[in-house]
Amino acid sequence: MTGQSEAKSMFLAVEGVDGSGKSGVIAHLADYLASAGLPVITTREPGGTPSGEKLRALLLSGSDDAWHPMSELLLMTAARVEHVQKIILPALRTGQIIISDRFVGSTIAYQGAGRGLSEKFIRHLHAEAVGDLWPDLTIVLDIDVTVGLSRSRRRLTTEILDEGRFESIDTTFHEKIRQSFLAQAAQAPDRHVVIDASGTPEDVRKSVIAAVSAFLPHRNQP
Ligand code: TMP
């Protein structure tokens, strides 16, 4: 099921390896849609609700082995249930465009391809936990993992953010994440667009706006 809307809503997710430039792209896209007079909300995972943000702090800090992969999956999913029930579904029901920085595609990539948990199980859990809600469109920002990781690690240091648990893992892990996002896009091409995120921020933003503008006419009808 995608969108789950009763009005002209749209559910967009932005995915990519760490340091792929999601936050800048999301801010720009939200400004663009708002200036076109469209109702837009931005949010993120893990997080997006007060309890989800508490889980985010637990999940993204500390050492790589702070959580068993299964615990990590269940906590990511718990944060998502709160997010879907309290933020995403209400937004879709009132005809908003919601842009989420990551969604279940990240779980398939990180806990599935990265940690080695069964993708079938993750999809089943997703169906049970949130009624199999999928974004109408997922934008995958694709970039070389070494470039992404060095950007991301730099940001964590300059902003003194204690969120580096995944960035502390080796490049091989992150390469699996990148390949998973590309595979997910290839599996469902009508619901994904892959954008080369290695260009200038301006080029990347232009490509994202073009992709979303092409998709806007497909917004869910009232
Ligand atoms: P970010 O918001 O800065 O991208 O950081 C979120 C981190 O959490 C990132 O390293 C990916 C990870 N993550 C998962 O491992 N599984 C998930 O389901 C989600 C939403 C994020």
Side-chain angles (χ1 to χ4, degrees):
M1 178 196 336
T2 55
Q4 275 205 354
S5 52
E6 291 167 12
K8 277 196 139 197
S9 62
M10 185 162 68
F11 178 19
L12 299 174
V14 180
E15 300 277 15
V17 296
D18 293 275
S20 53
K22 295 177 285 94
S23 32
V25 159
I26 290 170
H28 184 77
L29 177 60
D31 282 352
Y32 172 84
L33 294 171
S35 64
L38 296 167
V40 57
I41 295 178
T42 61
T43 182
R44 69 173 179 181
E45 288 205 353
T49 64
S51 24
E53 290 293 328
K54 285 184 191 155
L55 290 176
R56 178 184 179 94
L58 293 174
L59 281 161
L60 303 194
S61 62
S63 59
D64 180 27
D65 63 0
W67 298 105
H68 185 281
M70 184 57 77
S71 311
E72 192 176 276
L73 167 64
L74 296 173
L75 290 173
M76 291 287 179
T77 305
R80 182 161 306 124
V81 171
E82 295 303 308
H83 193 212
V84 167
Q85 293 299 336
K86 295 178 180 160
I87 306 289
I88 299 180
L89 289 181
L92 294 176
R93 289 192 184 115
T94 52
Q96 321 249 4
I97 296 178
I98 186 150
I99 310 174
S100 185
D101 184 337
R102 301 193 181 279
F103 195 63
V104 66
S106 279
T107 316
I108 293 171
Y110 284 79
Q111 282 66 53
R115 299 296 196 196
L117 297 179
S118 150
E119 182 174 329
K120 192 173 162 203
F121 175 68
I122 293 171
R123 287 177 182 272
H124 179 69
L125 181 64
H126 183 67
E128 291 289 330
V130 299
D132 217 17
L133 175 72
W134 290 83
D136 296 303
L137 181 69
T138 297
I139 297 157
V140 175
L141 298 180
D142 183 50
I143 194 161
D144 183 298
V145 294
T146 52
V147 176
L149 278 176
S150 64
R151 273 190 198 167
S152 186
R153 287 175 182 149
R154 203 174 324 124
R155 190 181 134 244
L156 291 169
T157 318
T158 49
E159 294 179 21
I160 323 175
L161 270 180
D162 186 14
E163 291 197 345
R165 193 168 149 255
F166 287 95
E167 282 85 345
S168 71
I169 311 172
D170 60 25
T171 312
T172 316
F173 174 87
H174 290 277
E175 188 55 42
K176 290 182 194 161
I177 307 303
R178 181 185 189 187
Q179 294 311 322
S180 170
F181 284 129
L182 294 175
Q184 291 179 53
Q187 243 176 50
D190 52 324
R191 289 194 281 111
H192 290 79
V193 57
V194 178
I195 306 275
D196 176 2
S198 65
T200 65
E202 206 196 338
D203 285 345
V204 177
R205 287 167 190 182
K206 272 189 193 154
S207 306
V208 169
I209 298 288
V212 172
S213 301
F215 198 79
L216 274 178
H218 303 293
R219 272 203 298 164
N220 299 303
Q221 297 300 316

